[in-house]
Amino acid sequence: MDGVDVVELSIVIFFFIVVTVMGFVASRWRRAENLMHLDEWGLGGRNFGTWITWFLLGGDLYTAYTFVAVPALMFGAGAAGFFAVPYTVVIYPLVFLVVIRLWSVSHVRGYVTPADFVRARFDSPGMALLVALTGIVATMPYIALQLVGIEAILKAMGVEGELPLIVAFVILALYTYNSGLRAPALIAFVKDTLIYLTIIVAVIVIPVKLGGWDAIFGAAEEKFSAGTGAGVLLPATGQLGYATLALGSALALFLYPHSLTGVLAASNRDVLKRNMSALPVYSLALGFIALLGFMAIAAGVTPIGGDGNTVVPVLFQEMFPSWFAGVAFAAIGIGALVPAAIMSIAAANLFTRNIYKEFLKKDATPRQEAQVAKIVSLVVKFGAVAAILFIDPQFSIDLQLIGGVIILQTLPAVALGLYTRWLHRGGLIAGWFAGMLAGLVMLYNIPRIGPDGTVVREHFGGSSFALSKLGLDVASSVYTGLLALLANLVVAVLVTLLLRAMKVPDGVDATAQSDYTAEREDPTFRDLPDPLQSTPPGLEKTVGESGGRR
């Protein structure tokens, strides 16, 4: 216990015990007749109202890693780190066009994952498998990154060793296994309340102690003028990369399985409409979180062991009394548990519905599906812990960077598929492979540049691809994900034209036009065959039994 701040640690432990109890009690909250069903365990009964959905999506999208990484980027790179704010502003009008239609068709047809929708819309188990694998691979490093946030507060409190991290995730795994999506939904109330409290206090108290916002921006201006010469503003060569990174990140965020899991858990379309209007409040909070990086510059904060992710915890320790620093650390710690739980559930849903049931056991019962999902959620969490313990955390950060690029390659099938079926299923598969290949090749050829301008690493050093490498005589760069998506779309269109000219069959659309605007589940569809089953009618489970709400 030498060097450990007992007050901070005691408060963090207190709040951790509170959310642990809530996690186990959640199985009785809005209690279902049977939790052994993916609709109940994996989607909370598809019955979350406006407030619950707002806290759930907020807790899911604005994570502990966001709390420590965005200010750390502002602290180290300046204005470029602010990209997270505009992308979370523009995202909601864009997402509004997608999630409302996805909610309707999923509730009508009983879909649990976006891959379920792709399977039925394009009559393509292959494309559905690619969507599922992409979602799982993109989500895994995202879970590991939540541990980076917990590690940052443990370092700040002086706690050494990995045991606290392991204990936290073991308990998280147990109550998620027990309660499913209800656990993070309930805990999100505590997490978001603590985060809002911390931000409100921080943006009032810290500027007063540092001499006002003029002093804060002045210190940042001085630091970055000495480096890039651009001060707190973006240099002209960085503006295109900044804008495309914001746009690409916005397009990718709601393609992640954990984001769509929160969407499908909503009780009706109006809940989502209200949330698309209310969730930008979190974006306002994110703007203040980002400015903590500039506050750390003005306060003369030195990261612990050179770890930039400790900037915010150290700032809180210097600016707040121990008891409130403990509250802030609890907000960050709980902010890691909520999204990690949702992400593991989303990954488990994908594996269960689109790999296990589709390819391994087509006649799986709802109970078997739920049991497999529970087990997979445990495996995913412990895999994330292993990644942090045995692999350099920087590797997880790099993988998450890749995750944003690869998840964008599901946009043609998932997002565009909600509006049109013109793209041939063969074209979608060809486009996916083209986008993946282009994205990974570009990422591989991006070096990491150190603060002194030297090359730290030759490959996978960022997400901005220099246009000069494409033969253009410009100094600007573009977000790799958008270039890869462009390659995806071009190939998908060309292959579609070729296949249609060759009159290659394109399967049967298992959805109806009215599905996409339905307000509530149509009981008519409860007696239709499950699109995930291939056995003859009469022997297979119906949508109502395998996925529809009752």
Side-chain angles (χ1 to χ4, degrees):
M1 296 292 290
D2 292 342
V4 175
D5 191 310
V6 178
V7 174
E8 292 175 352
L9 182 59
S10 299
I11 292 175
V12 169
I13 291 174
F14 167 76
F15 279 107
F16 182 73
I17 292 173
V18 169
V19 298
T20 298
V21 172
M22 292 176 67
F24 284 106
V25 169
S27 63
R28 299 177 178 275
W29 178 52
R30 292 172 171 258
R31 188 178 182 88
E33 290 183 9
N34 182 13
L35 269 178
M36 294 302 290
H37 195 298
L38 273 190
D39 263 22
E40 294 295 341
W41 184 85
L43 292 179
R46 300 182 188 256
N47 200 32
F48 290 162
T50 300
W51 279 106
I52 298 173
T53 302
W54 188 72
F55 279 108
L56 180 66
L57 287 175
D60 187 15
L61 303 179
Y62 300 87
T63 67
Y65 183 66
T66 303
F67 210 122
V68 298
V70 173
L73 192 56
M74 293 286 288
F75 180 86
F82 216 68
F83 84 94
V85 178
Y87 106 65
T88 57
V89 172
V90 302
I91 186 173
Y92 296 108
L94 296 175
V95 168
F96 185 89
L97 300 173
V98 176
V99 297
I100 305 298
R101 292 174 69 86
L102 181 63
W103 181 92
S104 289
V105 70
S106 297
H107 273 238
V108 167
R109 298 285 176 171
Y111 303 148
V112 176
T113 69
D116 282 354
F117 162 72
V118 171
R119 166 70 169 87
R121 177 69 154 164
F122 296 100
D123 195 10
S124 177
M127 190 64 228
L129 176 63
L130 294 178
V131 170
L133 290 175
T134 304
I136 294 171
V137 171
T139 300
M140 285 293 291
Y142 224 143
I143 300 173
L145 285 185
Q146 304 315 309
L147 297 173
V148 173
I150 297 179
E151 279 193 323
I153 64 170
L154 291 176
K155 285 182 181 179
M157 291 188 295
V159 177
E160 298 180 357
E162 309 294 349
L163 182 60
L165 203 61
I166 296 173
V167 171
F169 255 61
V170 166
I171 296 176
L172 168 67
L174 291 176
Y175 66 65
T176 305
Y177 182 92
N178 180 67
S179 305
L181 192 64
R182 287 174 170 81
L186 189 58
I187 294 171
F189 284 90
V190 177
K191 174 252 185 188
D192 290 349
T193 300
L194 290 177
I195 283 183
Y196 276 115
L197 174 64
T198 301
I199 294 171
I200 291 170
V201 172
V203 298
I204 295 174
V205 172
I206 297 178
V208 169
K209 288 192 173 185
L210 295 177
W213 288 102
D214 180 64
I216 291 170
F217 279 94
E221 177 75 22
E222 181 180 349
K223 175 181 177 177
F224 295 115
S225 293
T228 63
V232 295
L233 300 179
L234 278 172
T237 55
Q239 292 172 8
L240 180 61
Y242 177 93
T244 54
L245 176 59
L247 176 60
S249 300
L251 293 174
L253 186 57
F254 268 87
L255 292 171
Y256 276 101
H258 59 278
S259 303
L260 294 177
T261 296
V263 167
L264 297 183
S267 60
N268 58 61
R269 286 163 60 99
D270 288 340
V271 165
L272 292 176
K273 291 175 182 178
R274 287 190 286 267
N275 269 273
M276 292 304 105
S277 300
L279 279 169
V281 172
Y282 282 95
S283 302
L284 175 63
L286 181 60
F288 289 120
I289 290 174
L291 291 176
L292 291 173
F294 281 2
M295 295 180 201
I297 294 173
V301 165
T302 301
I304 298 173
D307 182 359
N309 290 321
T310 61
V311 165
V312 170
V314 172
L315 175 67
F316 287 163
Q317 282 186 319
E318 294 183 1
M319 294 290 113
F320 297 140
S322 292
W323 68 269
F324 192 79
V327 172
F329 292 167
I332 297 174
I334 298 171
L337 300 180
V338 171
I342 302 170
M343 291 170 191
S344 66
I345 290 170
N349 289 345
L350 280 169
F351 177 86
T352 302
R353 289 303 295 266
N354 307 114
I355 298 177
Y356 171 74
K357 185 172 183 177
E358 180 71 53
F359 298 101
L360 303 179
K361 190 174 177 60
K362 291 182 179 293
D363 60 347
T365 65
R367 172 172 285 275
Q368 289 173 326
E369 283 187 289
Q371 188 60 51
V372 170
K374 285 185 170 187
I375 294 172
V376 172
S377 74
L378 293 179
V379 173
V380 168
K381 291 188 192 72
F382 289 121
V385 174
I388 289 294
L389 295 183
F390 302 113
I391 301 176
D392 184 352
Q394 183 60 48
F395 185 62
S396 294
I397 295 173
D398 295 337
L399 283 179
Q400 196 276 328
L401 184 72
I402 297 171
V405 173
I406 68 172
I407 200 67
L408 264 177
Q409 308 318 310
T410 65
L411 186 145
V414 178
L416 297 184
L418 289 165
Y419 282 90
T420 178
R421 198 176 177 273
W422 182 82
L423 290 171
H424 194 284
R425 56 186 177 182
L428 288 172
I429 293 173
W432 183 91
F433 278 106
M436 286 292 180
L437 180 61
L440 292 176
V441 168
M442 286 186 283
L443 287 170
Y444 180 80
N445 287 288
I446 297 175
R448 170 163 289 164
I449 308 298
D452 57 355
T454 60
V455 176
V456 177
R457 192 173 61 198
E458 293 290 339
H459 309 294
F460 296 109
S463 60
S464 293
F465 189 77
L467 291 176
S468 59
K469 294 183 178 181
L470 297 177
L472 300 178
D473 187 20
V474 292
S476 298
S477 59
V478 174
Y479 177 51
T480 302
L482 285 184
L483 292 176
L485 178 61
L486 179 61
N488 183 335
L489 290 170
V490 169
V491 170
V493 169
L494 292 177
V495 172
T496 294
L497 292 173
L498 176 62
L499 294 176
R500 295 206 184 285
M502 297 171 61
K503 301 187 184 307
V504 176
D506 195 18
V508 178
D509 184 358
T511 68
Q513 191 61 37
S514 59
D515 295 349
Y516 298 91
T517 56
E519 291 290 341
R520 291 180 175 82
E521 180 186 10
D522 186 343
T524 304
F525 293 108
R526 289 180 178 166
D527 297 323
L528 290 181
D530 188 336
L532 299 182
Q533 295 282 6
S534 60
T535 51
L539 297 180
E540 59 193 11
K541 300 290 181 183
T542 63
V543 169
E545 294 169 342
S546 64
R549 286 177 58 214
R550 290 200 177 279

